[in-house]
Amino acid sequence: MDRLDRVLIVGAGFAGYRAARVLTRVARRAAEVTLLNPTDYFLYLPLLPQVAAGTLEPRRVTVSLSGTLPRARLVLGEADGVDLDRRTVSYTDPEGGRGTLAYDRLVLAVGSVNKLLPVPGVAEHAHGFRGMPEALYLRDHVTRQIELAAAAPDAEACRARCTFVVVGGGYTGTEVAAQGVLLTDALVRKRPLPHGVRPRWILLDIAPRLLPELDEHLSRTAGRVLRERGVEVRTETSVKEATADGVLLDDGRFVGTRTLVWCVGVRPDPLVAGLGRPLEHGRLLVDPYLTVPGHPEVFACGDAAAVPDLARPGEYTPMTAQHAWRQGRTAGINVAASLGRGQRHAYRHKDLGFTVDLGGAAAAANPFGVPLSGPLAAAVTRGYHLAALPGNRVRVAADWLLDAVLPRQAVQLGLVRSWSVPLDTASPELARMPDAPAESPPHAPSSNPPDGGAP
């Protein structure tokens, strides 16, 4: 019996998961599909802020890879090298073992990691928001700060623990601040803090408005909702330095806080930089068919790929979940075509609009260019997420219903510590272990802060 072509997909985010789903359906008799990923689940990132805010339980936004991709072979591991000449990918498994996978077709969908800026103290005192460990840490951390504030010896200490600073007014930062203020308000509703202190949320961005990459309707709606909830939105403002006691802003003001959430954007996974192929701002250059020039057997899609935007000649598609999801489908179709199943297609897209979930009955949306806000936008936004989720729809809807009628559980489990979710990591989906190399020691202060992202 002839050997099936080996298709290796590296990464199971929006692009990788969609590519695997398409391939296992279209080319299941022509290819053996292997999926290499550090975790056994696909993470629906747009709903991660609701996990941090206690609206959704963690497993609601994770979709089992083996359960939903039964025809794909799952290999747990983190890719750390690609040999284009030998057509192999090396990886490290969850227990530190080394392995190598050979391929006939390769789909690189490794995604992105937290974007770093050379701001003193940020790497030590901030946390990102790209993976489940960071969301779980933030949920515990915010709860812990409120509890410690209730026992603080004076108003200044209480105020610092109840001040939460979010840097970055894009999708993630806006949604983290919007969901976070609802969480802290719920935590203090039945047990007011001493000294007359109220939780304080500050959202910073160097742009002149929130959500600068989206249209002004979404920006205005989000800004209005946040300000009505008491969030201090400070545009054209950034962090000059971060310390264990607070942040120094570029206007000279110092804000006492124990929480710094870093949501300034993302950068391509550093794996693609080691391929020795042309890059565009750290992203692997591909043609409109998502193949790497000079290597027709290698495809790339998602945040780590610089895909030509055929709707805007000379530009590349932005790093969004919406593009990654669609590119994954195109990659799957084109890989199948290279195996003799169907015809290949260039990646083209048409904007369907965007949604920003602001928690409760508030949201901003512009489906097909129609501006919406309030409860209608919230219904459209949640309907979109339920439609886009590849699983767990009933459980997510049930959690939303329960959140609307029951109080949130104000407990911290303490399972994810500050030192296990460093900002500077190439694997935000994995919590660092105490014996991992290049890691902060377990005795690092647990009062260090957190961070946050959408499609």
Side-chain angles (χ1 to χ4, degrees):
M1 183 177 179
D2 293 337
R3 176 179 66 83
L4 296 178
D5 286 289
R6 297 164 298 183
V7 178
L8 175 59
I9 302 173
V10 182
F14 278 90
Y17 181 87
R18 188 79 184 279
R21 195 161 74 168
V22 169
L23 272 167
T24 53
R25 292 175 179 174
V26 176
R28 63 177 180 270
R29 293 188 179 89
E32 175 187 274
V33 179
T34 299
L35 188 59
L36 176 63
N37 197 58
T39 65
D40 65 353
Y41 59 81
F42 158 75
L43 175 64
Y44 191 76
L45 267 171
L47 293 180
L48 203 57
Q50 297 191 36
V51 173
T55 303
L56 296 176
E57 288 302 308
R59 284 188 175 86
R60 304 297 188 255
V61 301
T62 59
V63 178
S64 168
L65 296 177
S66 58
T68 56
L69 299 172
R71 297 189 184 95
R73 173 192 173 209
L74 173 63
V75 176
L76 289 179
E78 184 178 358
D80 49 32
V82 179
D83 190 324
L84 295 176
D85 295 325
R86 295 183 179 180
R87 296 192 179 187
T88 60
V89 174
S90 58
Y91 68 93
T92 303
D93 70 26
E95 297 184 345
R98 302 280 301 166
T100 301
L101 295 169
Y103 64 84
D104 298 303
R105 301 289 188 277
L106 175 64
V107 179
L108 289 171
V110 288
S112 55
V113 298
N114 295 310
K115 184 178 181 180
L116 302 178
L117 296 177
V119 179
V122 164
E124 295 78 19
H125 302 290
H127 293 282
F129 204 83
R130 293 292 299 166
M132 183 62 73
E134 293 166 322
L136 295 178
Y137 169 75
L138 179 55
R139 180 172 173 175
D140 273 1
H141 175 81
V142 169
T143 305
R144 180 167 60 252
Q145 294 309 306
I146 294 293
E147 292 170 346
L148 291 173
D154 54 62
E156 183 179 353
C158 180
R159 193 171 293 111
R161 291 198 178 278
C162 287
T163 298
F164 306 94
V165 179
V166 181
V167 183
Y171 278 120
T172 303
T174 298
E175 291 192 349
V176 166
Q179 300 282 353
V181 69
L182 294 180
L183 171 62
T184 53
D185 284 350
L187 292 176
V188 302
R189 187 169 293 122
K190 292 186 177 180
R191 187 182 179 185
L193 295 168
H195 315 293
V197 173
R198 292 284 304 169
R200 179 189 184 194
W201 284 80
I202 303 174
L203 179 58
L204 309 174
D205 199 284
I206 59 173
R209 64 182 177 90
L210 293 182
L211 303 169
E213 68 275 24
L214 304 183
D215 67 38
E216 291 195 11
H217 159 71
L218 298 176
S219 176
R220 286 195 306 269
T221 301
R224 174 179 54 78
V225 170
L226 290 177
R227 291 184 175 93
E228 288 175 352
R229 291 179 183 170
V231 177
E232 299 176 33
V233 179
R234 301 185 185 181
T235 55
E236 299 181 289
T237 306
S238 63
V239 173
K240 185 176 181 180
E241 181 181 2
T243 71
D245 299 319
V247 293
L248 177 64
L249 306 183
D250 59 0
D251 60 8
R253 286 179 289 182
F254 183 83
V255 178
T257 182
R258 302 293 186 272
T259 307
L260 180 59
V261 188
W262 195 253
C263 308
V264 298
V266 295
R267 58 191 170 100
D269 190 295
L271 177 72
V272 298
L275 296 179
R277 306 305 302 166
L279 302 176
E280 172 66 28
H281 294 295
R283 303 164 73 187
L284 185 63
L285 276 171
V286 297
D287 63 22
Y289 297 94
L290 308 182
T291 58
V292 176
H295 289 272
E297 78 284 357
V298 180
F299 299 75
C301 50
D303 288 355
V307 180
D309 190 340
L310 299 183
R312 299 180 178 86
E315 299 183 20
Y316 298 93
T317 57
M319 299 164 68
T320 67
Q322 193 175 107
H323 279 293
W325 188 249
R326 297 174 181 177
Q327 288 169 11
R329 178 178 181 275
T330 300
I333 290 173
N334 290 347
V335 170
S338 74
L339 300 174
R341 298 300 176 96
Q343 299 293 319
R344 69 173 187 162
H345 302 290
Y347 177 70
R348 299 178 184 275
H349 72 94
K350 181 180 180 181
D351 286 338
L352 301 178
F354 297 90
T355 64
V356 183
D357 195 325
L358 302 173
N366 61 350
F368 304 104
V370 180
L372 301 175
S373 60
L376 179 57
V380 169
T381 297
R382 295 197 169 185
Y384 166 78
H385 288 315
L386 288 178
L389 264 170
N392 299 341
R393 295 186 180 95
V394 173
R395 288 185 171 93
V396 168
D399 272 8
W400 282 338
L401 177 61
L402 291 174
D403 181 68
V405 298
L406 296 176
R408 301 187 190 187
Q409 293 178 291
V411 295
Q412 48 152 330
L413 300 179
L415 299 178
V416 181
R417 309 303 297 174
S418 172
W419 50 265
S420 67
V421 283
L423 179 64
D424 188 5
T425 176
S427 305
E429 65 273 13
L430 297 175
R432 283 266 179 89
M433 302 303 291
D435 57 350
E439 157 161 40
S440 302
H443 60 265
S446 62
S447 59
N448 282 2
D451 225 91

